[in-house]
Amino acid sequence: MKRICPITYEWIESNDANPFDPKGLKQLSPHLKNLSPLQFTQEQLRSLSQEHKESLQLCGGQPKVSMKLEVKSAEFSPDPRRGRYVIKAQHPTLELVPENESITLHLANIGEIKTAPFGLVDIEDNTFALWTRRVDRIGQATKLGLRSLASLLPEGEEATTETLIELINEHTTFPVRERAIFYQTFLFNFIVSNTEMHAGKWQLLTDKNGVTGIAPLFGIRNTALTGICGLESSLPLADNGSRLDKSTLYQYLAIERLQLPKSYVTKISQNMLSHAIAWKLAIDRSYLSSRQKFDYQQILTERVNRLR
């Protein structure tokens, strides 16, 4: 069988029924030779997600299940207490959300933004679910500190882009570095039309060495493809969020609020926009529908042109 690998988006041919790129499987385990389809239907996964809701304690409304990877049998199995992977089923009403999240995370990787390990996994009814490795787990027993910026807001204070920057300055180990990461991530979310990056989605991770910084991205998607429109930023920026422009993002956000050097802002911004062609080619290889691929590429073109 020949298909696009649901992890790396590279062509792969194998005698297996559902082949994967070996480079993609190594993201899960160096000993993994293949990955078996989940032995659940989408409806069963959504039902199981209700049982796992309390143990996961993750934001967002998409159905999620906690699972562990059984390397010997090359499959995921439910584990609500110690599962290192979050499995997301198809949304009951929105179209191809796992496929949307997967390609958007892949675009982030192309754009040199760090994400949690992720990929799509087959389900026995010939659909996909999304797997993401939890960034707050090491091995089977070690749990790292993971806090949303929303949880750090003073009681009653409104979440805005400006207040998040203040929290980053106060609660991260190396604020200058994290402000640069924040800008790069904010810019990417604007380009791919992810309007659900609210304060609860911005996470701070404290690693095993006690260093606190912005956690790798997970749970992002092009929300315009699923009918969520309106503001172009999930958080107010300069008392605006309805239509962002180059001046607001470059001058106000990056230079005035994040206090990044102008030369560095230019470098980050130009590097981000340089990935436009690679992004469009990746979208064409994705598992989105033909209409969604067209719409995604149209949005990218418009956003990139607005920032040039």
Side-chain angles (χ1 to χ4, degrees):
M1 179 179 178
K2 185 177 181 180
R3 71 168 178 174
I4 298 290
C5 173
I7 301 176
T8 65
Y9 290 96
E10 297 292 335
W11 280 106
I12 182 71
E13 188 169 10
S14 169
N15 293 327
D16 295 321
N18 300 293
F20 285 85
D21 184 345
K23 292 182 295 184
L25 294 175
K26 284 182 180 179
Q27 295 183 34
L28 288 159
S29 168
H31 308 293
L32 201 62
K33 303 300 181 184
N34 202 1
L35 185 60
S36 301
L38 287 175
Q39 301 303 305
F40 297 91
T41 64
Q42 294 288 349
E43 187 57 40
Q44 287 171 333
L45 277 179
R46 287 192 286 267
S47 177
L48 192 58
S49 73
Q50 296 301 311
E51 301 175 26
H52 289 207
K53 183 176 292 186
E54 184 174 337
S55 63
L56 277 173
Q57 296 179 338
L58 294 175
C59 59
Q62 193 175 346
K64 306 176 186 71
V65 178
S66 177
M67 292 198 181
K68 62 183 177 182
L69 177 66
E70 305 282 3
V71 176
K72 288 185 178 180
S73 57
E75 63 182 353
F76 288 112
S77 64
D79 187 339
R81 292 190 303 111
R82 298 198 301 173
R84 293 185 62 195
Y85 295 88
V86 175
I87 308 295
K88 293 186 178 181
Q90 294 287 340
H91 194 279
T93 59
L94 302 178
E95 181 184 7
L96 300 178
V97 174
E99 291 83 348
N100 185 336
E101 288 196 13
S102 178
I103 187 57
T104 304
L105 286 166
H106 183 62
L107 299 188
N109 284 166
I110 293 173
E112 302 173 29
I113 294 175
K114 190 174 182 180
T115 70
F118 68 93
L120 295 171
V121 59
D122 300 274
I123 292 186
E124 60 180 19
D125 58 5
N126 295 318
T127 58
F128 284 117
L130 177 82
W131 63 264
T132 308
R133 184 182 296 162
R134 296 192 64 161
V135 298
D136 61 341
R137 297 287 191 273
I138 298 178
Q140 295 297 320
T142 304
K143 184 177 181 180
L144 301 176
L146 187 67
R147 298 177 295 172
S148 72
L149 288 180
S151 69
L152 299 173
L153 281 168
E155 186 176 353
E157 184 169 345
E158 180 186 4
T160 66
T161 303
E162 290 85 349
T163 57
L164 293 200
I165 294 170
E166 292 175 6
L167 293 175
I168 288 170
N169 286 331
E170 182 179 352
H171 294 280
T172 62
T173 306
F174 303 109
V176 174
R177 182 186 70 181
E178 301 308 321
R179 291 200 302 269
I181 293 173
F182 181 87
Y183 173 63
Q184 185 182 27
T185 306
F186 193 100
L187 195 61
F188 175 78
N189 280 315
F190 167 72
I191 292 172
V192 299
S193 190
N194 175 29
T195 61
E196 288 192 336
M197 199 69 179
H198 49 74
K201 286 285 188 74
W202 288 97
Q203 303 278 332
L204 296 184
L205 180 69
T206 301
D207 67 18
K208 61 182 180 180
N209 298 316
V211 176
T212 299
I214 295 174
L217 273 182
F218 57 89
I220 61 171
R221 60 188 169 99
N222 184 318
T223 53
L225 298 187
T226 48
I228 299 175
C229 302
L231 298 181
E232 293 183 343
S233 170
S234 53
L235 293 166
L237 173 64
D239 298 322
N240 182 31
S242 58
R243 183 174 174 83
L244 301 178
D245 55 28
K246 183 175 179 179
S247 175
T248 302
L249 292 170
Y250 291 180
Q251 180 63 38
Y252 177 74
L253 175 60
I255 296 175
E256 295 181 24
R257 303 303 306 187
L258 290 168
Q259 299 181 338
L260 300 174
K262 185 175 181 180
S263 59
Y264 189 62
V265 172
T266 300
K267 180 180 178 181
I268 291 178
S269 304
Q270 290 180 346
N271 183 63
M272 182 71 70
L273 299 181
S274 71
H275 300 295
I277 294 176
W279 283 334
K280 291 179 181 180
L281 291 173
I283 291 169
D284 198 48
R285 285 189 167 197
S286 74
Y287 284 93
L288 296 172
S289 67
S290 296
R291 178 186 58 80
Q292 287 181 322
K293 290 178 183 180
F294 177 80
D295 290 345
Y296 208 143
Q297 291 171 336
Q298 290 289 99
I299 290 168
L300 271 176
T301 298
E302 191 278 328
R303 297 292 172 87
V304 167
N305 287 341
R306 200 191 303 181
L307 295 179
R308 280 181 171 156

